[in-house]
Amino acid sequence: MKELQGSVETQQFNQNVDVKPSIYSISNILKFVIFSMIGIFMFFIPIEWNGKSSIPLDHFVTWVRNIVGKGASYYVLILVMLGAIHPFYKKTWKKNAVETVITLFKVLGAIATIMVIFNIGPAWLMAEDMGPYWLNFLLIPIGMLVPIGAVFLALLVGYGLLEFIGIFMQPIMRPIWKTPGRSAIDAVASFVGSYSIGLLITNRVYKEGKYTKREAVIIATGFSTVSATFMIVVAKTLDLMHIWNLYFWLTLVVTFAVTAITVRLRPISKMSDEYYSGEGYPEEVIKKDRIKVAWNQAMITAESAPKLWKNIFDNVKDGVQMAMGILPTIMSIGLLGLILVNQTPVFDYLGYIFYPLTAILQIPEPFLAAKAAAINLVDMFVPSLVVLKTSLETRFIIGSLSISVILFFSSLIPCIMSTEIPLRMRDIFSIWFIRTVFSLLLITPLAFLFL
């Protein structure tokens, strides 16, 4: 790992007893404590409001959505249109074949969004489980969550909390997942908040030179799973709420166990340890005075942090750009996936890729399980619809698999592609396949053991 020589931050980190007294000012302490506490509260503390238990950020976004009403659809339409135009404005659409294809999907997504909002499309597109479903349950929530979440994200990661927590998480994160201690914030933000927020954190920290390319890829493909609140939707759909705690904790364990495996296999194991701009701020390994060093690092960060409004502006700008990048492709790729699943035998054939494994593992209804595993590449919710009428074991396995595989085209993959994280499409397919295989290998015996 390349060390940044001569950086003030690194020198102060190495010489943790030789820190300027001025960094312990009341102003820095208040910035660290107050802003971090607000960020923690908004992202990590579930509260009940109007009969719904969720994190405050989710409640706040819901409140804003209720206020704007139908205006939310037009707001999303603006983002989708800007997202479709942006590749042509920046001339990135012809950068390579992948960018050209993604741009095409963005244009198609913009067209589909216009048709759904103004109700001018064919009957199949206007069906409640097609265009309107994608608009109301994916585009609008994500389109509002990412920019609004970016405001509080500025408080969560910009004033020392990332560095403070990172020091204490080093003995866990580095040996198991080969990522810095500070990456624990990303993992928790995804699971209790949203993978889009988790990716926003990852991209921001990566561009600041605090993650290497390989570390950013590990976090994006290994920690950025759907939120716990969306897991409830899956559990309700599959009639698993009576064993919710078992489903939640086993899925959590399997998800991060699979990540620990994938980081040791190609393609991730051979990825570069370079930084975004060529130089970075690697996390120093601390073995003593952990509390003192953590406090020092928090104060250094608070001291060097930009002014609050500039920090918020930069984060909101990143959030809006991410929303512009992902919303058009969510609409187009998601609809395409639903058409392929419902109207063609494509996934019947692709299911044979995993059928030998599901048969060997003796999963009840092995072919349906294999088909659902293949469909998971398109969307993480659709596989649940395929196994609705199967045995409890099969429903449990597919419900867990949908979460632990992480990568899917209707949302997360476009999210990753809209960031600066360097991940090629062939690597995405490889990681998806590896995660699918190991998720099945791990969750199946656990399902048989506990059910």
Side-chain angles (χ1 to χ4, degrees), residues 46-74:
I47 61 173
E48 187 164 329
W49 187 60
N50 284 345
K52 176 186 175 184
S53 178
S54 187
I55 58 174
L57 176 61
D58 183 36
H59 291 309
F60 185 70
V61 171
T62 301
W63 176 71
V64 173
R65 183 175 177 180
N66 290 336
I67 288 178
V68 299
K70 292 183 178 179
S73 297
Y74 300 111

PDB file of all heavy atoms in Angstrom, residues 46-74:
ATOM      1  N   PRO A  46     -33.375   3.761  15.358  1.00  0.00           N
ATOM      2  CA  PRO A  46     -34.777   3.582  14.950  1.00  0.00           C
ATOM      3  C   PRO A  46     -35.718   4.240  15.949  1.00  0.00           C
ATOM      4  O   PRO A  46     -35.538   4.134  17.161  1.00  0.00           O
ATOM      5  CB  PRO A  46     -34.956   2.048  14.952  1.00  0.00           C
ATOM      6  CG  PRO A  46     -33.570   1.480  14.976  1.00  0.00           C
ATOM      7  CD  PRO A  46     -32.720   2.488  15.689  1.00  0.00           C
ATOM      8  N   ILE A  47     -36.716   4.937  15.434  1.00  0.00           N
ATOM      9  CA  ILE A  47     -37.758   5.519  16.274  1.00  0.00           C
ATOM     10  C   ILE A  47     -39.118   5.212  15.638  1.00  0.00           C
ATOM     11  O   ILE A  47     -39.203   4.928  14.444  1.00  0.00           O
ATOM     12  CB  ILE A  47     -37.590   7.049  16.439  1.00  0.00           C
ATOM     13  CG1 ILE A  47     -37.684   7.756  15.081  1.00  0.00           C
ATOM     14  CG2 ILE A  47     -36.284   7.386  17.129  1.00  0.00           C
ATOM     15  CD1 ILE A  47     -37.690   9.264  15.177  1.00  0.00           C
ATOM     16  N   GLU A  48     -40.155   5.267  16.446  1.00  0.00           N
ATOM     17  CA  GLU A  48     -41.496   5.005  15.923  1.00  0.00           C
ATOM     18  C   GLU A  48     -42.205   6.327  15.674  1.00  0.00           C
ATOM     19  O   GLU A  48     -42.231   7.217  16.526  1.00  0.00           O
ATOM     20  CB  GLU A  48     -42.297   4.146  16.902  1.00  0.00           C
ATOM     21  CG  GLU A  48     -43.635   3.697  16.328  1.00  0.00           C
ATOM     22  CD  GLU A  48     -44.260   2.553  17.117  1.00  0.00           C
ATOM     23  OE1 GLU A  48     -43.492   1.745  17.677  1.00  0.00           O
ATOM     24  OE2 GLU A  48     -45.501   2.495  17.155  1.00  0.00           O
ATOM     25  N   TRP A  49     -42.783   6.442  14.477  1.00  0.00           N
ATOM     26  CA  TRP A  49     -43.499   7.652  14.107  1.00  0.00           C
ATOM     27  C   TRP A  49     -44.667   7.267  13.211  1.00  0.00           C
ATOM     28  O   TRP A  49     -44.487   6.543  12.228  1.00  0.00           O
ATOM     29  CB  TRP A  49     -42.560   8.619  13.381  1.00  0.00           C
ATOM     30  CG  TRP A  49     -43.167   9.969  13.099  1.00  0.00           C
ATOM     31  CD1 TRP A  49     -43.645  10.851  14.014  1.00  0.00           C
ATOM     32  CD2 TRP A  49     -43.350  10.567  11.815  1.00  0.00           C
ATOM     33  NE1 TRP A  49     -44.109  11.983  13.394  1.00  0.00           N
ATOM     34  CE2 TRP A  49     -43.941  11.834  12.039  1.00  0.00           C
ATOM     35  CE3 TRP A  49     -43.068  10.179  10.512  1.00  0.00           C
ATOM     36  CZ2 TRP A  49     -44.260  12.700  11.000  1.00  0.00           C
ATOM     37  CZ3 TRP A  49     -43.387  11.040   9.478  1.00  0.00           C
ATOM     38  CH2 TRP A  49     -43.978  12.281   9.721  1.00  0.00           C
ATOM     39  N   ASN A  50     -45.849   7.704  13.577  1.00  0.00           N
ATOM     40  CA  ASN A  50     -47.067   7.347  12.844  1.00  0.00           C
ATOM     41  C   ASN A  50     -47.236   5.835  12.702  1.00  0.00           C
ATOM     42  O   ASN A  50     -47.623   5.320  11.644  1.00  0.00           O
ATOM     43  CB  ASN A  50     -47.078   7.995  11.456  1.00  0.00           C
ATOM     44  CG  ASN A  50     -47.409   9.479  11.520  1.00  0.00           C
ATOM     45  OD1 ASN A  50     -47.898   9.973  12.535  1.00  0.00           O
ATOM     46  ND2 ASN A  50     -47.138  10.186  10.436  1.00  0.00           N
ATOM     47  N   GLY A  51     -46.877   5.116  13.774  1.00  0.00           N
ATOM     48  CA  GLY A  51     -47.053   3.672  13.783  1.00  0.00           C
ATOM     49  C   GLY A  51     -46.014   2.895  13.022  1.00  0.00           C
ATOM     50  O   GLY A  51     -46.119   1.682  12.880  1.00  0.00           O
ATOM     51  N   LYS A  52     -44.962   3.567  12.528  1.00  0.00           N
ATOM     52  CA  LYS A  52     -43.914   2.905  11.765  1.00  0.00           C
ATOM     53  C   LYS A  52     -42.575   3.081  12.463  1.00  0.00           C
ATOM     54  O   LYS A  52     -42.204   4.185  12.840  1.00  0.00           O
ATOM     55  CB  LYS A  52     -43.839   3.497  10.352  1.00  0.00           C
ATOM     56  CG  LYS A  52     -42.704   2.952   9.497  1.00  0.00           C
ATOM     57  CD  LYS A  52     -42.619   3.698   8.168  1.00  0.00           C
ATOM     58  CE  LYS A  52     -41.416   3.250   7.360  1.00  0.00           C
ATOM     59  NZ  LYS A  52     -41.269   4.030   6.096  1.00  0.00           N
ATOM     60  N   SER A  53     -41.869   1.980  12.647  1.00  0.00           N
ATOM     61  CA  SER A  53     -40.545   2.035  13.270  1.00  0.00           C
ATOM     62  C   SER A  53     -39.476   2.016  12.190  1.00  0.00           C
ATOM     63  O   SER A  53     -39.391   1.086  11.392  1.00  0.00           O
ATOM     64  CB  SER A  53     -40.344   0.845  14.218  1.00  0.00           C
ATOM     65  OG  SER A  53     -39.052   0.877  14.794  1.00  0.00           O
ATOM     66  N   SER A  54     -38.661   3.070  12.151  1.00  0.00           N
ATOM     67  CA  SER A  54     -37.587   3.159  11.169  1.00  0.00           C
ATOM     68  C   SER A  54     -36.605   4.217  11.635  1.00  0.00           C
ATOM     69  O   SER A  54     -36.802   4.870  12.660  1.00  0.00           O
ATOM     70  CB  SER A  54     -38.143   3.504   9.784  1.00  0.00           C
ATOM     71  OG  SER A  54     -37.116   3.426   8.807  1.00  0.00           O
ATOM     72  N   ILE A  55     -35.522   4.406  10.860  1.00  0.00           N
ATOM     73  CA  ILE A  55     -34.543   5.422  11.210  1.00  0.00           C
ATOM     74  C   ILE A  55     -35.120   6.806  10.895  1.00  0.00           C
ATOM     75  O   ILE A  55     -35.964   6.947  10.004  1.00  0.00           O
ATOM     76  CB  ILE A  55     -33.214   5.206  10.465  1.00  0.00           C
ATOM     77  CG1 ILE A  55     -33.426   5.212   8.944  1.00  0.00           C
ATOM     78  CG2 ILE A  55     -32.543   3.935  10.933  1.00  0.00           C
ATOM     79  CD1 ILE A  55     -32.133   5.154   8.150  1.00  0.00           C
ATOM     80  N   PRO A  56     -34.692   7.861  11.606  1.00  0.00           N
ATOM     81  CA  PRO A  56     -35.239   9.200  11.392  1.00  0.00           C
ATOM     82  C   PRO A  56     -35.119   9.687   9.947  1.00  0.00           C
ATOM     83  O   PRO A  56     -36.000  10.403   9.460  1.00  0.00           O
ATOM     84  CB  PRO A  56     -34.414  10.072  12.343  1.00  0.00           C
ATOM     85  CG  PRO A  56     -34.031   9.144  13.454  1.00  0.00           C
ATOM     86  CD  PRO A  56     -33.785   7.817  12.771  1.00  0.00           C
ATOM     87  N   LEU A  57     -34.031   9.320   9.269  1.00  0.00           N
ATOM     88  CA  LEU A  57     -33.877   9.737   7.883  1.00  0.00           C
ATOM     89  C   LEU A  57     -35.021   9.219   7.033  1.00  0.00           C
ATOM     90  O   LEU A  57     -35.566   9.943   6.187  1.00  0.00           O
ATOM     91  CB  LEU A  57     -32.536   9.241   7.328  1.00  0.00           C
ATOM     92  CG  LEU A  57     -32.290   9.527   5.841  1.00  0.00           C
ATOM     93  CD1 LEU A  57     -32.305  11.031   5.568  1.00  0.00           C
ATOM     94  CD2 LEU A  57     -30.952   8.925   5.398  1.00  0.00           C
ATOM     95  N   ASP A  58     -35.412   7.965   7.240  1.00  0.00           N
ATOM     96  CA  ASP A  58     -36.521   7.381   6.496  1.00  0.00           C
ATOM     97  C   ASP A  58     -37.821   8.134   6.795  1.00  0.00           C
ATOM     98  O   ASP A  58     -38.607   8.443   5.894  1.00  0.00           O
ATOM     99  CB  ASP A  58     -36.661   5.909   6.842  1.00  0.00           C
ATOM    100  CG  ASP A  58     -37.764   5.220   6.040  1.00  0.00           C
ATOM    101  OD1 ASP A  58     -37.948   5.567   4.863  1.00  0.00           O
ATOM    102  OD2 ASP A  58     -38.433   4.330   6.596  1.00  0.00           O
ATOM    103  N   HIS A  59     -38.052   8.429   8.073  1.00  0.00           N
ATOM    104  CA  HIS A  59     -39.240   9.202   8.450  1.00  0.00           C
ATOM    105  C   HIS A  59     -39.221  10.595   7.812  1.00  0.00           C
ATOM    106  O   HIS A  59     -40.254  11.085   7.346  1.00  0.00           O
ATOM    107  CB  HIS A  59     -39.315   9.353   9.977  1.00  0.00           C
ATOM    108  CG  HIS A  59     -39.617   8.088  10.704  1.00  0.00           C
ATOM    109  ND1 HIS A  59     -40.681   7.277  10.373  1.00  0.00           N
ATOM    110  CD2 HIS A  59     -39.000   7.485  11.768  1.00  0.00           C
ATOM    111  CE1 HIS A  59     -40.714   6.242  11.194  1.00  0.00           C
ATOM    112  NE2 HIS A  59     -39.705   6.347  12.038  1.00  0.00           N
ATOM    113  N   PHE A  60     -38.062  11.219   7.807  1.00  0.00           N
ATOM    114  CA  PHE A  60     -37.944  12.565   7.246  1.00  0.00           C
ATOM    115  C   PHE A  60     -38.238  12.577   5.745  1.00  0.00           C
ATOM    116  O   PHE A  60     -38.956  13.442   5.242  1.00  0.00           O
ATOM    117  CB  PHE A  60     -36.543  13.124   7.515  1.00  0.00           C
ATOM    118  CG  PHE A  60     -36.359  14.550   7.090  1.00  0.00           C
ATOM    119  CD1 PHE A  60     -36.991  15.577   7.785  1.00  0.00           C
ATOM    120  CD2 PHE A  60     -35.565  14.869   5.998  1.00  0.00           C
ATOM    121  CE1 PHE A  60     -36.821  16.905   7.401  1.00  0.00           C
ATOM    122  CE2 PHE A  60     -35.401  16.189   5.605  1.00  0.00           C
ATOM    123  CZ  PHE A  60     -36.032  17.205   6.300  1.00  0.00           C
ATOM    124  N   VAL A  61     -37.685  11.585   5.038  1.00  0.00           N
ATOM    125  CA  VAL A  61     -37.934  11.474   3.597  1.00  0.00           C
ATOM    126  C   VAL A  61     -39.415  11.219   3.338  1.00  0.00           C
ATOM    127  O   VAL A  61     -40.010  11.799   2.414  1.00  0.00           O
ATOM    128  CB  VAL A  61     -37.070  10.359   2.977  1.00  0.00           C
ATOM    129  CG1 VAL A  61     -37.482  10.093   1.531  1.00  0.00           C
ATOM    130  CG2 VAL A  61     -35.593  10.724   3.035  1.00  0.00           C
ATOM    131  N   THR A  62     -40.033  10.347   4.155  1.00  0.00           N
ATOM    132  CA  THR A  62     -41.472  10.086   4.020  1.00  0.00           C
ATOM    133  C   THR A  62     -42.278  11.351   4.242  1.00  0.00           C
ATOM    134  O   THR A  62     -43.243  11.629   3.517  1.00  0.00           O
ATOM    135  CB  THR A  62     -41.910   9.005   5.032  1.00  0.00           C
ATOM    136  OG1 THR A  62     -41.170   7.806   4.796  1.00  0.00           O
ATOM    137  CG2 THR A  62     -43.394   8.712   4.898  1.00  0.00           C
ATOM    138  N   TRP A  63     -41.895  12.135   5.252  1.00  0.00           N
ATOM    139  CA  TRP A  63     -42.575  13.403   5.550  1.00  0.00           C
ATOM    140  C   TRP A  63     -42.465  14.368   4.378  1.00  0.00           C
ATOM    141  O   TRP A  63     -43.456  14.982   3.956  1.00  0.00           O
ATOM    142  CB  TRP A  63     -41.971  14.010   6.807  1.00  0.00           C
ATOM    143  CG  TRP A  63     -42.524  15.353   7.173  1.00  0.00           C
ATOM    144  CD1 TRP A  63     -43.767  15.630   7.666  1.00  0.00           C
ATOM    145  CD2 TRP A  63     -41.840  16.616   7.068  1.00  0.00           C
ATOM    146  NE1 TRP A  63     -43.908  16.985   7.879  1.00  0.00           N
ATOM    147  CE2 TRP A  63     -42.756  17.609   7.526  1.00  0.00           C
ATOM    148  CE3 TRP A  63     -40.573  16.983   6.650  1.00  0.00           C
ATOM    149  CZ2 TRP A  63     -42.396  18.954   7.557  1.00  0.00           C
ATOM    150  CZ3 TRP A  63     -40.227  18.334   6.677  1.00  0.00           C
ATOM    151  CH2 TRP A  63     -41.136  19.290   7.133  1.00  0.00           C
ATOM    152  N   VAL A  64     -41.267  14.490   3.821  1.00  0.00           N
ATOM    153  CA  VAL A  64     -41.065  15.371   2.665  1.00  0.00           C
ATOM    154  C   VAL A  64     -41.890  14.890   1.480  1.00  0.00           C
ATOM    155  O   VAL A  64     -42.530  15.690   0.781  1.00  0.00           O
ATOM    156  CB  VAL A  64     -39.572  15.445   2.281  1.00  0.00           C
ATOM    157  CG1 VAL A  64     -39.388  16.217   0.975  1.00  0.00           C
ATOM    158  CG2 VAL A  64     -38.763  16.092   3.390  1.00  0.00           C
ATOM    159  N   ARG A  65     -41.909  13.581   1.268  1.00  0.00           N
ATOM    160  CA  ARG A  65     -42.668  13.025   0.141  1.00  0.00           C
ATOM    161  C   ARG A  65     -44.162  13.310   0.304  1.00  0.00           C
ATOM    162  O   ARG A  65     -44.854  13.619  -0.669  1.00  0.00           O
ATOM    163  CB  ARG A  65     -42.418  11.527   0.040  1.00  0.00           C
ATOM    164  CG  ARG A  65     -43.122  10.886  -1.149  1.00  0.00           C
ATOM    165  CD  ARG A  65     -42.767   9.417  -1.290  1.00  0.00           C
ATOM    166  NE  ARG A  65     -43.494   8.804  -2.382  1.00  0.00           N
ATOM    167  CZ  ARG A  65     -43.372   7.521  -2.732  1.00  0.00           C
ATOM    168  NH1 ARG A  65     -42.546   6.725  -2.059  1.00  0.00           N
ATOM    169  NH2 ARG A  65     -44.068   7.035  -3.746  1.00  0.00           N
ATOM    170  N   ASN A  66     -44.659  13.212   1.530  1.00  0.00           N
ATOM    171  CA  ASN A  66     -46.077  13.487   1.767  1.00  0.00           C
ATOM    172  C   ASN A  66     -46.404  14.955   1.518  1.00  0.00           C
ATOM    173  O   ASN A  66     -47.494  15.298   1.041  1.00  0.00           O
ATOM    174  CB  ASN A  66     -46.464  13.109   3.195  1.00  0.00           C
ATOM    175  CG  ASN A  66     -46.468  11.602   3.416  1.00  0.00           C
ATOM    176  OD1 ASN A  66     -46.622  10.830   2.460  1.00  0.00           O
ATOM    177  ND2 ASN A  66     -46.291  11.182   4.650  1.00  0.00           N
ATOM    178  N   ILE A  67     -45.467  15.835   1.842  1.00  0.00           N
ATOM    179  CA  ILE A  67     -45.684  17.268   1.642  1.00  0.00           C
ATOM    180  C   ILE A  67     -45.740  17.609   0.152  1.00  0.00           C
ATOM    181  O   ILE A  67     -46.627  18.336  -0.302  1.00  0.00           O
ATOM    182  CB  ILE A  67     -44.574  18.089   2.333  1.00  0.00           C
ATOM    183  CG1 ILE A  67     -44.752  18.044   3.856  1.00  0.00           C
ATOM    184  CG2 ILE A  67     -44.607  19.545   1.859  1.00  0.00           C
ATOM    185  CD1 ILE A  67     -43.675  18.782   4.610  1.00  0.00           C
ATOM    186  N   VAL A  68     -44.783  17.075  -0.613  1.00  0.00           N
ATOM    187  CA  VAL A  68     -44.722  17.431  -2.044  1.00  0.00           C
ATOM    188  C   VAL A  68     -45.773  16.692  -2.861  1.00  0.00           C
ATOM    189  O   VAL A  68     -46.125  17.113  -3.966  1.00  0.00           O
ATOM    190  CB  VAL A  68     -43.316  17.170  -2.617  1.00  0.00           C
ATOM    191  CG1 VAL A  68     -42.285  18.002  -1.895  1.00  0.00           C
ATOM    192  CG2 VAL A  68     -42.937  15.688  -2.543  1.00  0.00           C
ATOM    193  N   GLY A  69     -46.280  15.564  -2.333  1.00  0.00           N
ATOM    194  CA  GLY A  69     -47.347  14.835  -3.017  1.00  0.00           C
ATOM    195  C   GLY A  69     -46.970  14.412  -4.420  1.00  0.00           C
ATOM    196  O   GLY A  69     -45.916  13.811  -4.652  1.00  0.00           O
ATOM    197  N   LYS A  70     -47.808  14.757  -5.380  1.00  0.00           N
ATOM    198  CA  LYS A  70     -47.567  14.387  -6.772  1.00  0.00           C
ATOM    199  C   LYS A  70     -46.324  15.070  -7.350  1.00  0.00           C
ATOM    200  O   LYS A  70     -45.790  14.633  -8.373  1.00  0.00           O
ATOM    201  CB  LYS A  70     -48.786  14.712  -7.630  1.00  0.00           C
ATOM    202  CG  LYS A  70     -50.000  13.849  -7.327  1.00  0.00           C
ATOM    203  CD  LYS A  70     -51.157  14.165  -8.274  1.00  0.00           C
ATOM    204  CE  LYS A  70     -52.345  13.271  -7.986  1.00  0.00           C
ATOM    205  NZ  LYS A  70     -53.501  13.567  -8.884  1.00  0.00           N
ATOM    206  N   GLY A  71     -45.897  16.133  -6.679  1.00  0.00           N
ATOM    207  CA  GLY A  71     -44.690  16.818  -7.136  1.00  0.00           C
ATOM    208  C   GLY A  71     -43.468  15.919  -7.121  1.00  0.00           C
ATOM    209  O   GLY A  71     -42.502  16.163  -7.854  1.00  0.00           O
ATOM    210  N   ALA A  72     -43.500  14.858  -6.285  1.00  0.00           N
ATOM    211  CA  ALA A  72     -42.367  13.925  -6.226  1.00  0.00           C
ATOM    212  C   ALA A  72     -42.140  13.256  -7.573  1.00  0.00           C
ATOM    213  O   ALA A  72     -40.989  13.023  -7.970  1.00  0.00           O
ATOM    214  CB  ALA A  72     -42.615  12.881  -5.142  1.00  0.00           C
ATOM    215  N   SER A  73     -43.218  12.941  -8.275  1.00  0.00           N
ATOM    216  CA  SER A  73     -43.092  12.304  -9.587  1.00  0.00           C
ATOM    217  C   SER A  73     -42.393  13.229 -10.578  1.00  0.00           C
ATOM    218  O   SER A  73     -41.523  12.791 -11.352  1.00  0.00           O
ATOM    219  CB  SER A  73     -44.471  11.917 -10.128  1.00  0.00           C
ATOM    220  OG  SER A  73     -45.092  10.957  -9.304  1.00  0.00           O
ATOM    221  N   TYR A  74     -42.745  14.510 -10.550  1.00  0.00           N
ATOM    222  CA  TYR A  74     -42.140  15.462 -11.485  1.00  0.00           C
ATOM    223  C   TYR A  74     -40.692  15.762 -11.098  1.00  0.00           C
ATOM    224  O   TYR A  74     -39.853  16.000 -11.973  1.00  0.00           O
ATOM    225  CB  TYR A  74     -42.979  16.741 -11.534  1.00  0.00           C
ATOM    226  CG  TYR A  74     -44.395  16.482 -11.990  1.00  0.00           C
ATOM    227  CD1 TYR A  74     -45.472  16.614 -11.118  1.00  0.00           C
ATOM    228  CD2 TYR A  74     -44.659  16.069 -13.289  1.00  0.00           C
ATOM    229  CE1 TYR A  74     -46.771  16.351 -11.532  1.00  0.00           C
ATOM    230  CE2 TYR A  74     -45.954  15.805 -13.719  1.00  0.00           C
ATOM    231  CZ  TYR A  74     -47.001  15.941 -12.834  1.00  0.00           C
ATOM    232  OH  TYR A  74     -48.273  15.668 -13.247  1.00  0.00           O
TER     233      TYR A  74
END
